[in-house]
């Protein structure tokens, strides 16, 4: 018969109701009217919601739109002090962190520039450490700020798809990021979520994988009321997991965002809950356990599983019974209901009828390869390769399979097929590959390379090239003896640079990737900025460069210590 539904050992939930959100699932209340919006643009509108699905991570904040332009004042959300400043090639580009006395920290990313006090601190750090990228903490007395104070200018820096301000509220103690709309920083929203498809997974006691029998059913409806495209009573037997394809919009934007919560009910009782209230950053890769990862990798289908894999550790699952897996083994008809909400409380629902039938457990299937277990150290090895996976990196037990094929052109080993790319890795695992030929003088140039062209780094030890890699796939050994290439864009020997604002380059490397770049003028280090979108490396002239003749020099070093140099005399 159906497993009896008991909600035990689960996180205590509360249903909060206010003028904005109706019956929103939360574990606790958050301060209201304490924080202000980071921008003065009204109505506030977003291009990205908290917790929405992104490749390999949950989105960690709200992306406030800035009318597709940069240059808006960014305000401190509350009184506090700037506790951290970061400048990076990708990611947030430029970001500041403000710690507040109420136990929370706000984060502002993709900035065009900082306040003058912070600009001075960043420049000092960059010159002292001779680096463009910067990440440092400040004391409470260095840059205190008041609520409403302009702390930065909005921009499009780093890995952003367009101008906006990425905004987060974090727990200062745990560094968990929290849905900012739960603090009252709401976005006008009267639009319920949309449901486009459901998934049915026949688990039957076996680990989830790309081989799990499944079916996807189309859904139609509107205004929060949905039903199957083909109305039917589903005939199911055994251990079943459900999934759903769903998204949301708000009243100010046409962007399709993530939903706030998904509940799955069986005969009126909740068996599974997902809610994007808060999460820790070391959990965010577990999105690959939450979605149907094989479907995403194969077809870019965002099917959200309403059952929990045993190796998934993330706080976005506040409650479940039997990890959301339902056993159908009687002759009754049952009601299955999906309830999807956005953070404003707008609701979409879908009801199914399921005819259950008796189930006979199939005979255990003998593994084809080597069994790896999600909660144990797992290892595979032969005379050419070794794979070591530590606990916490698999989301479910795995029938691990290995094979090898001929040595690719230019490689120093066979191509080793390490399972397949349809099984995700949470963090990384260790791979050892033995060269098929003597590396000789190239041992310090050896790297592990994937079949899709990505260099995975590596070092030589005990006859193997060893690296940490983050995905299953096909790997071999190559060596990197080729130095990086410097492409000057607006300078050559003898150039007159009086009218130029900057000196610009592109740079490239054939394999291991560029590790560092150093620019000097007349032997003195100068700050060079690497732009994520244009990939242009540039030095911007300042008053330190006097009129007259000078020598510019650029040195590039790749990750295997091959280097290139460019030098040019110029006048200013």
């Amino acid at each position: 018969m159906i497993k009896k539904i008991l909600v035990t050992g689960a996180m205590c939930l509360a249903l909060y109701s206010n003028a904005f959100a109706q019956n929103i699932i939360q574990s606790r209340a958050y301060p209201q009217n304490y924080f202000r919006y980071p921008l003065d643009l009204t109505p506030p509108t977003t291009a990205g919601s908290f917790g929405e699905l992104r490749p390999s991570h949950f989105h960690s904040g709200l992306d406030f739109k800035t009318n597709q332009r940069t240059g808006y004042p960014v305000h401190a959300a509350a009184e506090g002090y700037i506790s951290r400043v970061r400048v990076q090639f990708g990611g947030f580009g430029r970001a500041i962190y403000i710690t507040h006395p109420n136990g929370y920290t706000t984060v502002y990313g993709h900035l065009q520039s900082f306040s003058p006090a912070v600009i001075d601190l960043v420049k000092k750090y960059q010159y002292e450490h001779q680096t463009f990228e910067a990440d440092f903490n400040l004391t409470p007395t260095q840059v205190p700020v008041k609520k409403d104070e302009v702390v930065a200018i909005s921009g499009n820096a780093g890995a952003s798809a367009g101008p906006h301000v990425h905004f987060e509220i974090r727990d200062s103690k745990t560094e968990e990021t929290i849905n900012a709309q739960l603090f009252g920083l709401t976005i006008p929203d009267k639009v319920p979520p949309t449901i486009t498809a459901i998934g049915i997974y026949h688990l039957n006691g076996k680990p989830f994988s790309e081989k799990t029998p499944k079916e996807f059913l189309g859904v139609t409806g509107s205004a929060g009321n949905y039903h199957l495209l083909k109305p039917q009573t589903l005939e199911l037997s055994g251990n079943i997991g459900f999934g759903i394809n769903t998204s949301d919009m708000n009243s100010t934007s046409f962007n399709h965002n993530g939903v706030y919560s998904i509940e799955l009910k069986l005969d009126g009782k909740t068996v599974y809950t997902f809610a994007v209230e808060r999460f820790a950053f070391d959990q965010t890769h577990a999105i690959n356990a939450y979605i149907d990862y094989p479907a995403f990798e194969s077809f870019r289908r965002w099917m959200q599983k309403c059952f929990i894999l045993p190796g998934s550790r993330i706080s976005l699952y506040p409650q479940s019974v039997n990890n959301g897996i339902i056993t159908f083994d009687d002759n009754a008809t049952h009601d299955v209901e999906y309830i999807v909400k956005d953070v404003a409380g707008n609701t979409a629902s879908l009801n199914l009828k399921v005819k259950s039938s008796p189930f006979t457990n199939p005979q255990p299937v003998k593994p084809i390869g080597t069994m790896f277990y999600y909660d144990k150290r797992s290892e595979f090895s032969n005379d050419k390769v070794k794979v070591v996976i530590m606990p916490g990196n698999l989301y479910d037990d795995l029938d691990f399979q290995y094979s090898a094929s001929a040595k690719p052109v230019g490689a120093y080993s066979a191509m080793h097929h390490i399972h397949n790319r349809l099984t995700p890795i949470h963090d990384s695992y260790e791979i050892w590959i033995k060269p098929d030929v003597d590396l000789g003088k190239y041992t310090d140039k050896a790297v592990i390379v994937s079949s899709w062209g990505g260099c995975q780094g590596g070092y030589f030890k005990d006859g193997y090239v060893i690296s940490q890699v983050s995905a299953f796939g096909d790997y071999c050994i190559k060596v990197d003896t080729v130095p990086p290439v410097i492409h000057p864009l607006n300078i050559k020997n003898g150039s007159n640079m009086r009218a130029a604002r900057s000196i610009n380059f592109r740079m490239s490397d054939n394999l291991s990737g560029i590790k560092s770049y150093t620019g000097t003028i007349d032997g003195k280090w100068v700050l060079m900025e690497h732009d994520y979108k244009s990939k242009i490396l540039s030095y911007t002239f300042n008053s330190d460069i006097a009129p007259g003749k000078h020598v510019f020099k650029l040195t590039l070093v790749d990750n295997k210590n091959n280097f290139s140099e460019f030098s040019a005399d110029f006048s200013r």
Side-chain angles (χ1 to χ4, degrees), residues 235-530:
E235 296 186 2
L236 299 176
S237 177
N239 298 323
I240 301 297
F242 288 90
I244 188 170
N245 184 277
T246 180
S247 63
D248 186 46
M249 294 173 62
N250 59 51
S251 297
T252 67
S253 169
F254 292 106
N255 291 76
H256 288 267
N257 302 138
V259 301
Y260 178 79
S261 66
I262 300 171
E263 289 181 83
L264 184 68
K265 291 190 174 186
L266 175 67
D267 296 329
K269 297 182 179 180
T270 301
V271 296
Y272 166 91
T273 305
F274 169 85
V276 289
E277 178 184 354
R278 58 194 290 155
F279 63 87
F281 285 94
D282 62 359
Q283 301 173 342
T284 191
H285 288 168
I287 188 175
N288 293 330
Y290 171 62
I291 63 172
D292 181 342
Y293 187 78
F296 178 76
E297 280 292 300
S298 300
F299 311 109
R300 284 302 184 259
R301 180 192 289 267
W302 289 102
M303 184 60 66
Q304 301 169 59
K305 301 199 305 291
C306 297
F307 59 96
I308 306 169
L309 301 187
S312 178
R313 298 288 181 266
I314 190 165
S315 55
L316 298 178
Y317 303 123
Q319 174 273 333
S320 73
V321 178
N322 195 35
N323 283 339
I325 299 170
I326 301 173
T327 301
F328 293 101
D329 61 358
D330 58 15
N331 286 306
T333 298
H334 299 276
D335 295 313
V336 173
E337 182 181 15
Y338 295 89
I339 300 175
V340 183
K341 293 186 178 184
D342 61 27
V343 72
N346 301 303
T347 302
S349 62
L350 170 68
N351 291 278
L352 306 172
K353 289 289 186 183
V354 175
K355 177 65 172 66
S356 175
S357 59
F359 173 70
T360 301
N361 284 319
Q363 293 296 318
V365 178
K366 186 177 180 181
I368 297 174
T370 303
M371 282 304 299
F372 281 6
Y373 298 96
Y374 73 91
D375 57 349
K376 298 179 181 178
R377 181 185 185 277
S378 298
E379 180 176 324
F380 170 87
S381 63
N382 58 26
D383 61 341
K384 294 293 185 181
V385 68
K386 181 164 73 171
V387 174
V388 180
I389 304 179
M390 301 305 291
N393 282 294
L394 293 174
Y395 299 122
D396 208 340
D397 295 342
L398 175 66
D399 184 359
F400 175 83
Q401 296 172 44
Y402 164 83
S403 63
S405 57
K407 180 174 66 175
V409 176
Y412 284 71
S413 74
M415 181 65 79
H416 298 275
H417 307 290
I418 310 300
H419 200 66
N420 64 63
R421 289 181 58 81
L422 299 181
T423 297
I425 295 293
H426 184 73
D427 186 12
S428 65
Y429 64 94
E430 195 170 70
I431 181 172
W432 300 45
I433 299 179
K434 181 176 289 187
D436 290 342
V437 295
D438 184 12
L439 291 175
K441 62 181 180 180
Y442 298 130
T443 56
D444 64 338
K445 303 294 185 181
V447 292
I448 292 177
V449 179
S450 65
S451 61
W452 56 95
C455 178
Q456 307 298 313
Y459 60 94
F460 188 81
K461 178 183 177 182
D462 299 333
Y464 288 84
V465 180
I466 306 169
S467 185
Q468 293 282 336
V469 298
S470 59
F472 288 132
D474 306 334
Y475 297 98
C476 66
I477 296 172
K478 290 189 176 182
V479 298
D480 184 1
T481 59
V482 180
V485 178
I486 299 172
H487 308 269
L489 298 180
N490 68 338
I491 186 173
K492 60 183 180 181
N493 198 42
S495 289
N496 184 331
M497 304 296 289
R498 289 187 181 91
R501 180 177 176 271
S502 59
I503 302 176
N504 304 319
F505 299 86
R506 292 190 190 276
M507 53 186 180
S508 61
D509 187 69
N510 74 314
L511 190 55
S512 63
I514 293 170
K515 178 173 67 175
S516 66
Y517 51 86
T518 303
T520 63
I521 294 180
D522 302 333
K524 182 179 178 181
W525 184 88
V526 293
L527 177 65
M528 304 198 70
E529 179 173 347
H530 195 194

Side-chain angles (χ1 to χ4, degrees), residues 81-85 97-99 105-106 136-139 143:
Y81 69 96
I82 296 179
S83 55
R84 181 183 178 189
V85 180
Y97 300 66
I98 300 178
T99 296
T105 296
T106 51
F136 57 92
N137 296 322
L138 304 178
T139 65
V143 188

Side-chain angles (χ1 to χ4, degrees), residues 127-145:
Y127 275 83
E128 285 182 350
H129 294 80
Q130 295 194 351
T131 176
F132 164 67
E133 294 203 320
D135 188 0
F136 57 92
N137 296 322
L138 304 178
T139 65
T141 59
Q142 281 183 277
V143 188
V145 297

